[in-house]
Structure formats: C-alpha cells, structure tokens
Amino acid sequence: MSESNTGDGTTENSAVRRPADWEADRLRDLASEFGTPLYVVDPDRVRQNCERLLGAFPDATVDYAVKANTARTVLETVEDAGLGAECASAGEVRRALDAGFAPEEVRYTAVNPPAADLDAVVEWWREGADLTVTVGARTTLDALAERGYDGRLCVRVNPEVGAGHHAKVTTGDAPQFGVPFDDATDAASAASEVGEFVGLHAHVGSGVSGDDLSAHEVLVGRMAMLADELDESPEFVSVGGGFGVPYRREDPPLDLDAVADATRAAFDCDARLVVEPGRYVVADAGILLTEVTAVKETAETTVVGVDAGMTTLLRPALYDAYHEVRSLSASIDDRVPTSCLVAGPVCETADVLGEERVLPEPKRGDLLSVGTTGAYGYEMASTYNSRPRPAVVTLDGETVARRETLADLTRLEGGEQS
C-alpha cells in the first residue's frame, strides 16, 4: 500500500488529506504506545487548512466553528493561525477563552440557550470579556435583558433555504434555527434596544458541497439583501460554514477558491463578510485507530469485530456517514481481499463502522485506521454501555486527552452536587 506523504507523517499542503497519506509506521507506533481505540490529530494539518481558508477569503473574517473539535491543541493551533471562534455553548466559550482567543474574537451562537449557559456567558462579559452573543429568538433577547446584558448582539436569521450531507444537519430551513426571515428587521430593531446590534448570522447546513453549494449562494444573497434593507447597517454578516470534505476515496476535494468566488459574488452589501468553517478545518487532520478483536465468517459476509464502535465514532450510526477503513497491518501483501462488515462492541445493529469494505483478509490483532475523523469524532464520543472514552494524541505523540478508566465512569455518582 502506497504512502503518499513526506515520510514523517505529514503531507504537503494539498486540498485534501486521504487516509493513505498518513504514515502507517507512525500510526502503528502510536497504537502500540497508547493502545486502541485511539484518536490521532495532526496540528500541522489543522494549520494548513486554516491557511488555505484565509487565502481563499482574504477580505473576510474566518471564524472556526468550535463544536467540530474542541481539543485544546486544536484550539490553540486555530487561534495562532489567525481564526476567530464561533461557539455553540458556554462550555465552548470557556474553552475558546482558555485557549487564548481574544474575547472580541469569540461569538456565542446558541440554539435555545439554557439558563445556566446565559448566566455564565453574561458573567464573563461583566468580567470584561467583550464577546458577541448571537440570538435566534426574541425570548432570548428578553432573557439577556433580564440579566443586564447590553453588549454586542448578532441576530440569527432563518434564511428558508437549507442543505447538508444529511437531513439531520440541514439547518437553513429548519424552524428551530433563527428568527423567521420576515421577522428579521423587527428582531434587529429589538436587539438595538437591548444592546449593540452588530451583525446578522445564518447557516445553510453542514457538509455542503457539489450541487448543495447553490443553496449556500442563495443564502448569501438573501442575507446581503437583508443587511442592506435594515435601518441600522450591521458591522458584519456571517453566512455560516458547512464546507464539505470528501470522505470517500473517489470523492474530489472541495474547490475552496470557487466557493469563495461564488460567495463574494453573491455578497453584494457593505457589511464585513464572515464565514464559519468547522469540519473543513479539522476533518482530515484526524484519524481513528482500532484493533480487530474478532473475525467471524457468515453466509452474508465476513464480520470484523473491532474495539471502536458507535460510542467511539457516532457518525456512521447517527448519519449513515461513510468513513474509509484501511488495514495498517505490516504484512498484508499475501492476503486475499475480502468484503467485510466492520462492527463495534455495542449490542446494537447500528454499531457498524463500515459495510462491504474490502480489506486484506482480516485477522485478530490487525490494526485498522478509520479515516477523516478529526471533526465530530471524539466530540461525539460517549460512555454508553459504560465504555470509557478513548485517548487522543497528536501525531508527535503528545497526549491531548487521556484514556478514560472504569473508575472515571462512576466518578460523578453520589456525593453532593457542587
């Protein structure tokens, strides 16, 4: 199996990094040292993706959608590269501030924010964090006013156009996201009465590429038109992110320059353009390593049991998402290619990482890699089935998150709530 890399586990700054571009020897060493399942993240690749985004959007503000990957190493790399932070929860705001993002570069964009989140964000604002709060409902404005917040406000608008890689992440036309388009002008006026109205925000969906890009262009045009119609012109208009990445080997990389050109062409207004990519920054900067624990021949297929599953990587079970699975075993040249069902250790039919995947004849103890897992991989991991979450390390072998233990699973049980 070829390794199209530079020999030290890094790749040139190409538009996409495929699973085969990771150095197999290095991944085997990390699995041997840290065990499996194991997430590996490459900060150098994160930086390359940030640089590519800044190059494509030189006249815009590029904010990282923190929810894609909140690891401190990732956030510090993104901040150092010059991106801002778009946060979906108080926890993400705290992580961004702790990672070094200047408060004025942080936006809190929550959907139906819990009271505890608003309490925390407003308290940090009182302490001097001059961040921006994005509201998607008039009642959220009321909740902020009740807490004495009169800082920077952005209004999230439902653009009535959506797209994405799955119905569950298509947000632009879903009613829970943003004030109705026809109510946007009144919502902006109401925001000005509570605090300093500074921006508009909308997001078409996640994993947008190919034909879906036309929906993104429509959104950009609608938001630019809205900005020009307001009595008070906003400082910025955020048109979201959602830029797709190729998860399948045969999928072409996103033409980011073409996306940027189309975005600029549709953005006909005087406000500053803001984009909020998340997946594009980190997806191909991460990979998941897992060990084969069982091999079972059935009439339908060869079942390959592995120690990673839906508690490790939820996307296949939740979104029917595709991730390339590759064998990293050192001696596979003499093995017969075999169609396999790669399944995890959870007793649910959904716990499948890949179906009809052709692998060299699998054996117990083989090491497999699951590609393009830097976005929404570890972030969505859980302790369902009382399974500890995996460790996360950098390609250089630095620990990002230690492996949870069985003792960690019960650490919060009992005792008094602080």
Side-chain angles (χ1 to χ4, degrees):
M1 301 180 71
S2 64
E3 302 290 340
S4 53
N5 56 46
T6 60
D8 60 356
T10 62
T11 57
E12 295 180 357
N13 194 2
S14 57
V16 61
R17 187 185 207 182
R18 309 286 183 178
D21 294 328
W22 295 74
E23 187 183 14
D25 286 343
R26 181 57 184 155
L27 296 179
R28 285 192 287 264
D29 288 345
L30 290 171
S32 177
E33 180 177 357
F34 294 97
T36 57
L38 178 70
Y39 276 105
V40 180
V41 62
D42 183 4
D44 287 340
R45 182 61 184 176
V46 173
R47 182 178 296 278
Q48 290 171 2
N49 291 338
C50 290
E51 291 172 350
R52 194 177 304 107
L53 283 160
L54 292 171
F57 292 94
D59 299 324
T61 295
V62 181
D63 291 335
Y64 169 59
V66 171
K67 68 178 182 177
N69 190 316
T70 63
R72 173 65 73 89
T73 297
V74 169
L75 294 181
E76 290 177 344
T77 301
V78 169
E79 189 280 330
D80 187 63
L83 274 61
E86 190 270 329
C87 305
S89 69
E92 290 182 6
V93 171
R94 187 68 265 164
R95 285 175 179 263
L97 294 173
D98 290 346
F101 285 91
E104 57 271 21
E105 296 174 343
V106 174
R107 272 189 302 118
Y108 169 54
T109 304
V111 178
N112 307 321
D117 270 34
L118 291 179
D119 289 342
V121 170
V122 171
E123 181 60 28
W124 298 328
W125 166 75
R126 284 200 185 96
E127 293 172 354
D130 189 23
L131 46 75
T132 300
V133 177
T134 300
V135 297
R138 299 286 287 272
T139 51
T140 303
L141 278 175
D142 296 339
L144 288 167
E146 291 165 2
R147 288 163 172 78
Y149 180 85
D150 61 2
R152 293 168 57 84
L153 286 167
C154 174
V155 173
R156 180 168 186 170
V157 179
N158 188 307
E160 300 173 353
V161 55
H165 71 82
H166 192 280
K168 293 180 180 179
V169 294
T170 299
T171 60
D173 55 0
Q176 64 263 48
F177 302 108
V179 301
F181 192 85
D182 291 341
D183 189 39
T185 299
D186 290 342
S189 297
S192 296
E193 295 174 2
V194 172
E196 181 186 3
F197 170 66
V198 296
L200 294 171
H201 165 79
H203 180 53
V204 72
S206 185
V208 176
S209 59
D211 293 339
D212 287 340
L213 289 173
S214 61
H216 171 73
E217 293 177 47
V218 172
L219 176 148
V220 174
R222 297 203 78 189
M223 295 303 293
M225 177 186 68
L226 176 61
D228 275 348
E229 291 177 351
L230 295 179
D231 293 335
E232 182 180 351
S233 298
E235 290 180 12
F236 66 85
V237 176
S238 171
V239 297
F243 303 149
V245 299
Y247 285 91
R248 296 177 183 270
R249 189 182 312 179
E250 64 272 20
D251 290 344
L254 181 70
D255 188 341
L256 187 61
D257 290 332
V259 173
D261 289 343
T263 300
R264 281 189 289 270
F267 192 73
D268 185 17
C269 74
D270 294 331
R272 173 168 44 91
L273 173 67
V274 178
V275 294
E276 302 170 1
R279 182 189 314 272
Y280 189 92
V281 175
V282 291
D284 71 351
I287 201 162
L288 172 64
L289 305 181
T290 183
E291 182 176 311
V292 175
T293 58
V295 178
K296 178 171 60 178
E297 300 292 341
T298 72
E300 298 88 356
T301 188
T302 297
V303 178
V304 179
V306 295
D307 59 5
M310 61 189 291
T311 62
T312 318
L313 178 64
L314 182 59
R315 296 189 72 253
L318 183 61
Y319 303 130
D320 295 321
Y322 182 96
H323 290 268
E324 185 179 341
V325 180
R326 177 173 178 249
S327 177
L328 296 178
S329 295
S331 55
I332 57 175
D333 292 340
D334 58 346
R335 298 196 198 179
V336 177
T338 305
S339 179
C340 303
L341 173 74
V342 183
V346 178
C347 188
E348 295 194 20
T349 311
D351 191 25
V352 172
L353 297 182
E355 301 180 65
E356 299 180 354
R357 304 304 179 85
V358 177
L359 298 171
E361 182 182 6
K363 297 181 181 180
R364 186 165 60 89
D366 283 353
L367 181 67
L368 305 181
S369 68
V370 184
T372 325
T373 56
Y376 308 106
Y378 184 78
E379 287 304 308
M380 300 180 81
S382 75
T383 57
Y384 176 53
N385 264 200
S386 290
R387 296 189 183 280
R389 288 182 297 176
V392 184
V393 299
T394 68
L395 194 58
D396 291 336
E398 297 180 1
T399 298
V400 175
R402 68 169 176 81
R403 187 178 306 281
E404 284 186 328
T405 66
L406 292 178
D408 289 327
L409 298 179
T410 56
R411 180 173 54 87
L412 301 180
E413 296 180 8
E416 297 182 359
Q417 182 174 347
S418 59

